[in-house]
Amino acid sequence: MFPQYERRGPAARGRAHHRARRRRLRCPVLAARTVTAVSAAATAAAAGLGHLPTPLLLGALMLALYRLAVDTDRPTARCHYFGSLALVVSAAVVFAPVGIPWPLETIGPAAWLLLPVVAGNAVRLQGAYVEAVRARAEYAERSREEELRHRVAEERMRIARELHDVVAHHLALANAQAGTAAHLSRTNPDQVHGILRDLAGTTGSALRELKATVGLLRQTGDPDPSLAPNPGLGHLPKLTAACAAAGLTVHVTVAGTPRPLTAGVDLTAYRIVQEALTNVAKHASAEAAYVRIGWSPNRLDLTITDDGTVTAPAATGPGPGFGLIGMRERAQSVGGTFTAGHREGGDFEVTARLPLYHPSATEPEEERTP
């Protein structure tokens, strides 16, 4: 209905709300100042007629000063207090009858008028403290909700990445094995039985890992410490054997001296190699893939290439798939870098550089230095 207000951002709406609040508070403050001035003039007039400034005479002015101290700040209340006191005391001293003790005309009004100012300041400070506590509680609640949403989003991304790396890999191998079996059933039926046996093993592994993942997600407490460890580079022989059963020969070369890895970096390296080989099996008409593992004193270099040509584009964004996205996220999560692209010959190359130790892990200082 009011598009000029709907187009405002959060900051503009906040400033508008603050201005509206100031306008709402301006009227009570102005009324309190007016009432205080009128009460001070009336009390001074009564004192000038010879009435002693007792609490009964000062009652209206005391109420006005209290309301003013509650609605305004301390300097404003102090200024009106001293102005009212000077006006009342001057009228009482000048026009009071002879014989009245001077403390009743000076110290008495000062003490009685100071009492509502102090009480009003205390009430205002208490209200400001309660408002600050409420604001902090609301901010803390919003922060907890935002942190919870952030953690839920991170957990969803982690689960999606794990399911993609584990289940999609087995399904891609199963699809390749099924295609190979269909092709050999016409030309070489003797090899079909072995491929079907490997296909059964691949689908069985996919079902087991999917069941384990779903079971882990359904747990309400901490995971069972007796669960099998996560795979690492030590599982590459099984991975290459599964790829060979799907018709893809994988050549692994190692350069340098192998060094110990943290569990996170080891799992990340394995998943990157696994996903790269899965992409070769799905998207490239290749007969062989080459995995090069380079060890240096403080870094692990992974290079995966193939000898084929790309028949379907690898996923670089939310579209056909999320393979490269997941590999890049995994490498960045442990402080590494990731690149992927086509080479001059038409084949595809994946390169990852990972630190030997996760940045959050604690290791000897000499292991970190190059």
Side-chain angles (χ1 to χ4, degrees), residues 2 27 55 84 97 133 144 160 166 178 185 199 232 240 256 265 284 305 309 311 319 360:
F2 300 100
C27 293
S84 302
V133 171
R144 284 194 296 269
V166 174
S185 63
L199 176 60
T240 57
V265 176
T305 58
T309 57
T311 58
S360 62

Side-chain angles (χ1 to χ4, degrees), residues 226-274:
S226 62
L227 292 175
N230 290 322
L233 292 180
H235 293 74
L236 281 184
K238 295 182 179 179
L239 179 61
T240 57
C243 292
L248 179 65
T249 303
V250 180
H251 303 278
V252 180
T253 59
V254 179
T257 303
R259 300 168 65 86
L261 298 173
T262 60
V265 176
D266 199 14
L267 175 62
T268 298
Y270 176 82
R271 292 304 188 197
I272 289 177
V273 175
Q274 181 188 51

Side-chain angles (χ1 to χ4, degrees), residues 80-327:
H80 283 74
Y81 164 74
F82 284 113
S84 302
L85 179 64
L87 188 61
V88 172
V89 171
S90 298
V93 172
V94 174
F95 299 103
V98 180
I100 297 179
W102 66 270
L104 296 178
E105 301 174 343
T106 56
I107 299 178
W112 288 113
L113 293 180
L114 180 62
L115 181 62
V117 174
V118 174
N121 282 330
V123 172
R124 178 177 53 81
L125 293 177
Q126 179 66 20
Y129 172 76
V130 173
E131 185 67 23
V133 171
R134 184 183 297 110
R136 286 198 298 267
E138 294 177 355
Y139 176 77
E141 184 66 22
R142 289 194 301 268
S143 300
R144 284 194 296 269
E145 292 178 356
E146 293 177 359
E147 183 180 0
L148 179 60
R149 286 194 296 268
H150 180 68
R151 289 184 177 181
V152 169
E154 286 186 344
E155 187 65 15
R156 290 179 61 185
M157 291 294 296
R158 188 187 68 84
I159 294 172
R161 190 164 54 241
E162 290 293 335
L163 290 176
H164 179 275
D165 292 346
V166 174
V167 180
H169 166 72
H170 289 293
L171 292 180
L173 291 181
N175 181 68
Q177 290 169 347
T180 304
H183 175 72
L184 293 178
S185 63
R186 302 185 184 93
T187 59
N188 196 350
D190 295 337
Q191 296 183 3
V192 174
H193 179 72
I195 294 177
L196 292 178
R197 185 176 60 252
D198 295 334
L199 176 60
T202 301
T203 54
S205 299
L207 290 174
R208 285 194 300 271
E209 294 198 17
L210 181 60
K211 182 179 179 181
T213 302
V214 173
L216 184 61
L217 293 177
R218 292 176 63 89
Q219 289 183 3
T220 58
D222 295 332
D224 188 359
S226 62
L227 292 175
N230 290 322
L233 292 180
H235 293 74
L236 281 184
K238 295 182 179 179
L239 179 61
T240 57
C243 292
L248 179 65
T249 303
V250 180
H251 303 278
V252 180
T253 59
V254 179
T257 303
R259 300 168 65 86
L261 298 173
T262 60
V265 176
D266 199 14
L267 175 62
T268 298
Y270 176 82
R271 292 304 188 197
I272 289 177
V273 175
Q274 181 188 51
E275 179 59 27
L277 295 179
T278 302
N279 285 342
V280 172
K282 290 194 301 183
H283 301 304
S285 57
E287 296 181 356
Y290 303 90
V291 178
R292 184 182 184 277
I293 304 175
W295 297 90
S296 61
N298 62 342
R299 193 178 66 195
L300 171 65
D301 294 334
L302 298 174
T303 304
I304 302 95
T305 58
D306 60 78
D307 62 355
T309 57
V310 177
T311 58
T316 58
F322 301 92
L324 296 183
I325 295 177
M327 287 189 283

Side-chain angles (χ1 to χ4, degrees), residues 4-26:
Q4 66 273 20
Y5 294 105
E6 294 178 359
R7 289 194 297 266
R8 291 181 177 180
R13 290 195 297 269
R15 289 192 295 268
H17 175 74
H18 182 66
R19 288 194 296 268
R21 184 173 181 271
R22 290 181 60 183
R23 286 195 296 269
R24 289 195 302 269
L25 294 177
R26 192 176 300 164

